[in-house]
């Protein structure tokens, strides 16, 4: 699963029941979409017979008892196959009796597992969601026990040692099987293996504690209304008032962001930034120190020189030295630009507050100020140009023209809520079905709260030659309003939808043979790249006009000036913003290189170095409140920047000058999207680009776009 911060903002308005994608984009005159975009209307009221999706083994709407029974059947079957593999004599191992049964088991069981697990995200019934959680626990426990089976490991190892000829994808698959076993210490002595398990449990406990401390931190500050000057009245009204009119500002991100962006009083900003940077300093610094030490020991036991190398060994970046070089290169290449950006902000502060020194607490405030002065971007008004159906049909149109795909809505498919829509994806030229996806767009009670794409069935090619097609689910968090106008999207939601559709396209176009390599969760450094590539279409006038139209007259797309502003806005102060992110990524990488890094000193040292001499705020320690390095992104925080950089390389080199070039699009589809996790990502990208991927294009593009401001 994959989640996005961008999709969380709300939008309003309602999609009328029974409505369908209007197959006309804003620049209606530009396009004759209606004919080419075969999106069938469907009508909820006419739902006579529910249709099954042929070739889809994901089961919708299983009742509670069925979910639990299915989980038991999955486990029993899996156990049977594992036992059979384990019983193969070591001198009789072949691809057919060891690897094939495991690969086909995975491919067949995955959609069934998802039939049990996915209801917990989307079901409208509390009971079903609970059963789903319970089923998941059972299945997880079983999967975890399988990955610790020494008997199976030994057979797989014996097979690998035999050196039977295999294609590169199969070889890679065998390596992955072995890696998973060995990450559980199966190649170690029993005592060391126990130690691995013990350390892993300790890591889980400590990272949980770190995040728990942050979540339960209840620190707040009190300010008078004067001290909060600059904040909008509607915001002040939401603050709790304590005695003598003082207002309570918590350290929740929406409070902190509002103060840092809008509060005119430098002292208030500083106090909020400092208090925020001291959160959990007493507790979490020691938790993180211990966590890093335990991780280091864990990685050493498994034969890696440090935890970073353990975390990176199966990622595109591969080694920590490569990551450090990458981050330092980005940071130093952007220094000149960032200096220029900072000079603008410093000048503005001088005008507004006199000779006071500029500090990090001033960054957001003055950035916001310049942006308000320079760009006439009213995001509230911009929404009027993004009715959901228009945006969707624009997205489909772009995917169709670029990648040779055709989307068709399936009427009367079985779904878990009447808002959910289902689409088939076809290859435009051959008419071959490539896959299906469910679109569950609107927030509702009990539904999972993130925007993401969930794999329901992975594409794969069985030994018999039968292809299983991929089935995906796109969950987003759009707000359905009770009103008569169509649902309107905020710009951030438009970008987020584009991003997620990038994942869907990648998933649909994947031609890997092994289910394991056809997911949307393969190498995380690689898998985000196509989605980031697609985001670029949201900032180009040509495509923006394609996906927009004033909601009361969709033939009127957004104006050229606004398109230009959006692009400039994207690059405004982007060097400074990126450097700030690089700072945290460097910290995350360096602490995972050894067991004795002084995490307090490290931040103090890195801060002025990366942030152009700006010192860290006195007495704070960001290390105590940086949950990404504690859980989920440890030693891999860099990955977001990584994807963005190589996506920019691809977009700028191949697509920027011809946004709907199907030739290039088809090459991207076959050389990149189709490959999935079956091949080395650097090889994949080099094949497409005709050279190794490089950070230069990203940097040059950033400098060029910023100078145009
Ligand atoms: C299918 O894809 C998902 C999501 O990318 C992945 O988590 C899962 O491991 C894959 N399934 C199999 C059977 O490998
Ligand atoms: C290792 C460590 O210092 N843990 C502390 C983290 O913070 C909690 C309180 O929130 C303490 O109870 C732990 O001892
Ligand atoms: Zn993503």
């Amino acid at each position: 699963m994959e989640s996005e911060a961008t999709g969380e903002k709300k939008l309003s308005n309602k999609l009328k029941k029974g409505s369908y994608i209007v197959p006309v984009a804003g620049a209606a005159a530009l396009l004759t979409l209606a004919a080419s975009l075969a999106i069938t209307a469907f009508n909820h009221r006419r739902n006579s017979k529910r249709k099954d999706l042929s070739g889809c083994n994901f089961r919708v709407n299983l009742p509670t008892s069925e979910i639990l029974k299915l989980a038991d059947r999955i486990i029993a079957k899996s156990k049977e196959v594992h036992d059979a593999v384990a019983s193969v004599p070591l001198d009789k191992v072949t691809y057919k009796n060891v690897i094939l049964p495991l690969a086909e088991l995975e491919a067949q069981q995955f959609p069934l597992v998802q039939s049990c697990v996915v209801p917990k995200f989307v079901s409208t019934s509390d009971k079903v969601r609970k059963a789903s959680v319970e089923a998941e626990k059972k299945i997880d426990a079983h999967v975890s026990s399988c990955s610790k089976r020494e008997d199976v490991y030994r057979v797989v190892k014996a097979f690998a040692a035999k050196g039977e000829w295999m294609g590169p994808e199969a070889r890679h698959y065998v390596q992955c099987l072995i890696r998973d076993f060995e990450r559980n210490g199966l190649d170690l002595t029993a005592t060391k293996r126990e130690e691995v398990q013990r350390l892993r449990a300790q890591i889980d406990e400590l990272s949980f504690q770190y995040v728990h401390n942050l979540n339960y931190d209840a620190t707040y500050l009190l300010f008078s209304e004067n001290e909060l000057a600059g904040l909008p009245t509607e915001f002040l009204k939401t603050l709790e008032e304590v005695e003598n009119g003082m207002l309570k500002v918590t350290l929740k991100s929406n409070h902190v962001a509002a103060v840092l962006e809008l509060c005119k009083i430098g002292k208030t900003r500083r106090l909020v930034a400092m208090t925020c940077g001291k959160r959990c300093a007493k507790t979490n610094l020691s938790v993180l120190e211990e966590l890093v030490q335990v991780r280091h020991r864990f990685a050493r036991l498994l034969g890696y020189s440090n935890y970073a190398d353990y975390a990176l060994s199966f990622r595109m970046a591969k080694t920590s030295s490569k990551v450090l070089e990458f981050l330092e290169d980005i940071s130093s290449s952007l220094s000149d630009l960032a200096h220029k950006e900072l000079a603008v902000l410093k000048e503005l502060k001088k005008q507004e507050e006199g000779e006071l020194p500029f500090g990090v607490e001033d960054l957001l405030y003055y950035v916001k100020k310049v942006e308000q002065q320079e760009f006439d971007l009213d995001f509230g008004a911009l929404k009027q140009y993004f009715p959901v159906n228009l945006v969707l049909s624009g997205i489909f149109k772009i995917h169709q023209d670029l990648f040779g795909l055709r989307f068709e809505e399936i009427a009367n498919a079985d779904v878990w809520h009447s808002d959910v829509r289902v689409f088939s994806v076809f290859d435009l030229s051959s008419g071959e079905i490539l896959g299906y996806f469910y679109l569950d767009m609107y927030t509702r009670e009990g539904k999972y709260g993130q925007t993401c794409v969930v794999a329901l069935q992975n594409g794969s090619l069985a030994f018999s030659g039968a292809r299983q097609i991929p089935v995906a689910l796109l969950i987003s968090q759009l707000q359905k309003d009770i009103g008569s106008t169509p649902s309107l999207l905020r710009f951030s939601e438009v970008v987020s939808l584009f991003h997620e559709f990038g994942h869907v396209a990648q998933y649909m176009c994947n031609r890997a043979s092994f289910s394991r390599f056809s997911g949307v969760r393969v190498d995380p450094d690689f898998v985000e790249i196509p989605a980031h590539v697609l985001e670029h279409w949201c900032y180009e006038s040509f495509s923006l006009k394609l996906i927009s139209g004033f909601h009361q007259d969709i033939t009127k797309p957004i104006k050229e000036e606004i398109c230009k502003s959006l692009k400039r806005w994207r690059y405004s102060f982007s060097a400074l913003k990126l450097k700030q992110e690089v700072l945290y990524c460097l910290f995350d990488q360096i602490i995972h290189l050894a067991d004795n890094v002084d995490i307090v000193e490290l931040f103090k040292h890195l801060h002025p170095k990366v942030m152009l001499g700006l010192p860290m705020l006195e007495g704070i320690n960001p290390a105590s409140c940086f949950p990404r390095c504690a859980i989920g992104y440890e030693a891999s925080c860099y990955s977001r920047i990584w994807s963005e950089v190589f996506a920019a390389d691809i977009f700028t080199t191949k697509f920027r000058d011809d946004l709907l070039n199907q030739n290039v699009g088809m090459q991207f589809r076959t050389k990149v999207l189709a490959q999935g996790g079956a091949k080395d990502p650097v090889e994949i990208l080099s094949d497409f680009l005709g050279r190794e991927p490089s950070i230069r294009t990203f940097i040059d593009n950033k400098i060029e776009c910023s100078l145009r401001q």
Side-chain angles (χ1 to χ4, degrees):
M1 306 251 358
E2 200 261 325
S3 64
E4 308 294 335
T6 41
E8 283 170 48
K9 307 231 174 83
K10 308 289 183 208
L11 96 161
S12 48
N13 289 314
K14 171 174 163 160
L15 176 66
K16 269 181 279 160
K17 234 189 169 187
S19 67
Y20 53 92
I21 291 189
V22 185
V24 182
L30 270 177
L31 310 160
T32 41
L33 257 174
S36 51
L37 250 190
I39 294 169
T40 9
F42 92 114
N43 188 334
H44 287 295
R45 279 157 292 184
R46 207 192 52 207
N47 55 5
S48 45
K49 177 87 175 71
R50 292 298 187 187
K51 255 200 244 159
D52 280 336
L53 310 184
S54 93
C56 172
N57 297 317
F58 173 78
R59 319 241 311 259
V60 176
N61 291 337
L62 289 179
T64 316
S65 60
E66 273 303 309
I67 288 179
L68 294 168
K69 271 191 225 149
L70 180 57
D72 288 337
R73 282 203 303 277
I74 290 169
I75 293 168
K77 172 76 186 163
S78 161
K79 196 165 169 306
E80 189 187 309
V81 172
H82 281 86
D83 288 346
V85 169
S87 69
V88 177
L90 296 186
D91 57 346
K92 297 242 161 33
V93 292
T94 63
Y95 184 79
K96 259 183 123 163
N97 66 17
V98 177
I99 305 304
L100 192 63
L102 293 174
E104 298 207 330
L105 178 75
E106 263 187 358
Q108 287 158 9
Q109 290 209 312
F110 184 70
L112 303 178
V113 170
Q114 295 303 72
S115 311
C116 297
V117 171
V118 169
K120 90 169 180 190
F121 296 120
V122 294
S123 173
T124 50
S125 147
D126 204 27
K127 252 174 54 195
V128 170
R129 289 198 302 271
K130 277 197 187 123
S132 174
V133 169
E134 197 183 322
E136 183 183 34
K137 271 195 199 139
K138 276 191 185 181
I139 295 171
D140 278 355
H142 168 76
V143 169
S144 153
S145 75
C146 288
S147 66
K148 291 180 191 138
R149 282 187 67 157
E150 207 180 337
D151 50 359
V152 181
Y153 169 65
R154 241 186 285 125
V155 172
V156 174
K157 262 302 247 207
F159 170 77
K162 214 179 109 190
E164 188 175 312
W165 186 89
M166 287 175 282
E169 197 183 332
R171 234 179 338 187
H172 184 41
Y173 182 70
V174 174
Q175 278 170 6
C176 287
L177 284 180
I178 293 177
R179 168 199 66 180
D180 289 354
F181 284 122
E182 295 186 349
R183 288 200 156 196
N184 279 317
L186 288 193
D187 55 337
L188 303 177
T189 61
T191 4
K192 282 192 175 163
R193 196 182 309 164
E194 265 165 40
E195 178 73 357
V196 166
Q197 307 302 347
R198 204 181 55 78
L199 292 176
R200 173 166 295 158
Q202 218 176 329
I203 290 171
D204 289 348
E205 169 61 31
L206 286 164
S207 41
F208 171 80
Q209 204 176 56
Y210 185 99
V211 174
H212 180 86
N213 288 346
L214 278 177
N215 286 346
Y216 284 84
D217 178 75
T219 314
Y220 61 87
L221 292 161
L222 294 177
F223 293 107
S224 68
E225 210 163 301
N226 284 340
E227 290 169 318
L228 293 173
L231 289 162
T233 336
E234 313 90 81
F235 176 79
L236 295 180
K237 273 194 211 138
T238 65
L239 299 180
E240 189 187 328
E241 194 174 328
V242 289
E243 74 276 21
N244 47 42
M246 298 295 270
L247 298 170
K248 199 164 159 179
V249 172
T250 70
L251 298 184
K252 297 239 158 46
S253 59
N254 61 335
H255 283 190
V256 172
V259 171
L260 292 183
E261 282 185 358
L262 299 170
C263 182
K264 283 183 177 163
I265 313 296
K267 250 171 90 181
T268 305
R269 292 196 305 268
R270 194 175 169 82
L271 188 57
V272 167
M274 276 175 83
T275 316
C276 196
K278 281 183 190 163
R279 261 175 315 156
C280 299
K282 283 204 192 76
T283 52
N284 272 352
L285 281 181
S286 54
V287 175
L288 186 63
E289 238 157 49
E290 196 182 339
L291 183 55
V292 167
Q293 285 164 11
V294 178
R295 279 186 183 145
H296 188 72
R297 255 183 285 149
F298 174 79
R300 295 297 298 231
L301 258 178
L302 293 174
Y304 294 87
S305 52
N306 53 53
Y307 189 83
D309 281 344
Y310 161 82
L312 294 168
S313 64
F314 284 86
R315 283 174 169 259
M316 185 177 165
K318 290 214 169 71
T319 63
S320 50
S321 52
K322 181 99 198 175
V323 172
L324 290 176
E325 188 192 315
F326 169 82
L327 291 170
E328 273 157 11
D329 198 356
I330 299 268
S331 179
S332 60
S333 308
L334 289 176
S335 281
D336 284 349
L337 181 56
H339 267 298
K340 287 193 192 116
E341 292 172 353
L342 187 58
V344 173
L345 300 178
K346 282 182 168 168
E347 181 53 36
L348 201 60
K349 169 145 179 170
K350 207 155 133 195
Q351 285 168 22
E352 189 162 314
E353 295 181 74
E355 288 301 329
L356 293 169
F358 191 93
V360 269
E361 73 278 14
D362 297 321
L363 278 174
L364 288 176
Y365 176 76
Y366 287 104
V367 164
K368 183 93 182 170
K369 193 137 196 126
V370 175
E371 286 180 354
Q372 273 169 350
Q373 288 170 0
E374 298 243 317
F375 313 118
D376 186 22
L377 277 177
D378 176 349
F379 284 99
L382 197 55
K383 270 176 69 165
Q384 315 264 326
Y385 287 88
F386 293 119
V388 65
N389 286 339
L390 202 54
V391 174
L392 272 183
S393 64
I395 292 179
F396 288 167
K397 159 84 180 150
I398 287 169
H399 279 77
Q400 170 185 297
D401 287 3
L402 263 181
F403 304 137
L405 303 175
R406 186 166 64 84
F407 298 88
E408 193 175 300
E409 184 154 8
I410 302 174
N412 298 331
D414 204 5
V415 289
W416 47 90
H417 186 277
S418 61
D419 285 345
V420 179
R421 307 164 67 177
V422 190
F423 294 85
S424 310
V425 183
F426 296 96
D427 177 65
L428 190 59
S429 61
S430 70
E432 181 198 356
I433 178 129
L434 297 175
Y436 302 107
F437 68 92
Y438 291 81
L439 192 56
D440 189 347
M441 289 195 289
Y442 300 103
T443 52
R444 61 174 179 268
E445 204 178 309
K447 179 178 148 178
Y448 183 64
Q450 303 278 346
T451 293
C452 60
V453 174
V454 182
L456 301 180
Q457 170 171 296
N458 296 355
S460 65
L461 187 64
F463 196 69
S464 65
R467 183 165 278 285
Q468 176 169 270
I469 57 175
V471 184
L473 157 63
L474 196 163
I475 301 180
S476 64
Q477 307 296 331
L478 308 180
Q479 197 64 214
K480 217 172 153 183
D481 220 8
I482 334 123
S484 54
T485 44
S487 283
L488 302 172
L489 304 192
R490 292 174 146 276
F491 182 67
S492 61
E493 289 165 333
V494 173
V495 177
S496 159
L497 262 190
F498 256 86
H499 178 103
E500 298 309 327
F501 264 91
H503 287 306
V504 171
Q506 181 177 17
Y507 198 59
M508 294 297 132
C509 295
N510 196 300
R511 303 299 279 176
S513 305
F514 287 83
S515 165
R516 175 169 310 206
F517 300 138
S518 67
V520 274
R521 223 34 190 145
V522 287
D523 177 337
D525 285 351
F526 173 64
V527 83
E528 287 297 321
I529 292 177
H532 280 290
V533 171
L534 261 303
E535 282 184 30
H536 286 265
W537 271 262
C538 302
Y539 297 93
E540 301 292 330
S541 304
F542 173 75
S543 35
L544 263 173
K545 287 178 186 165
L546 214 67
I547 57 169
S548 64
F550 187 62
H551 67 109
Q552 282 156 340
D553 176 4
I554 56 169
T555 60
K556 290 203 180 98
I558 50 176
K559 296 193 185 71
E560 182 66 23
E561 307 91 80
I562 309 264
C563 296
K564 291 221 167 91
S565 286
L566 280 170
K567 186 155 184 180
R568 284 168 53 221
W569 170 74
R570 184 183 198 196
Y571 289 100
S572 85
F573 299 100
S574 61
L576 269 177
K577 289 175 192 163
L578 194 61
K579 266 178 159 285
Q580 209 163 23
E581 197 178 335
V582 166
L583 168 69
Y584 281 81
C585 296
L586 276 171
F587 173 81
D588 164 61
Q589 199 58 214
I590 295 170
I591 60 171
H592 289 108
L593 290 180
D595 67 343
N596 57 354
V597 181
D598 184 334
I599 58 177
V600 177
E601 281 309 306
L602 178 61
F603 242 120
K604 275 194 202 145
H605 165 79
L606 285 175
H607 199 287
K609 206 173 132 217
V610 179
M611 292 307 291
L612 312 168
L614 289 180
M616 210 167 76
L617 280 170
E618 228 169 282
I620 70 160
N621 206 305
S624 67
C625 45
F626 176 27
R628 289 166 75 90
C629 74
I631 190 160
Y633 298 90
E634 60 275 11
S636 54
C637 288
Y638 73 89
S639 190
R640 203 207 63 77
I641 304 180
W642 182 275
S643 322
E644 187 187 327
V645 165
F646 296 119
D649 188 11
I650 291 173
F651 178 77
T652 314
T653 314
K654 291 286 195 177
F655 291 107
R656 188 181 55 184
D657 300 329
D658 189 357
L659 289 169
L660 289 182
N661 185 328
Q662 192 168 83
N663 233 334
V664 182
M666 285 306 284
Q667 278 188 33
F668 188 67
R669 179 175 152 191
T670 47
K671 292 187 171 180
V672 181
L673 300 180
Q675 302 296 333
K679 216 166 133 186
D680 178 54
V682 176
E683 232 175 87
I684 292 177
L685 297 187
S686 306
D687 184 29
F688 175 63
L689 288 165
R691 58 160 168 79
E692 289 221 347
S694 137
I695 78 163
R696 289 321 323 163
T697 331
F698 170 81
I699 300 285
D700 294 346
N701 186 47
K702 191 158 276 253
I703 292 172
E704 193 191 314
C705 291
S706 305
L707 292 183
R708 248 192 256 138
Q709 306 253 336

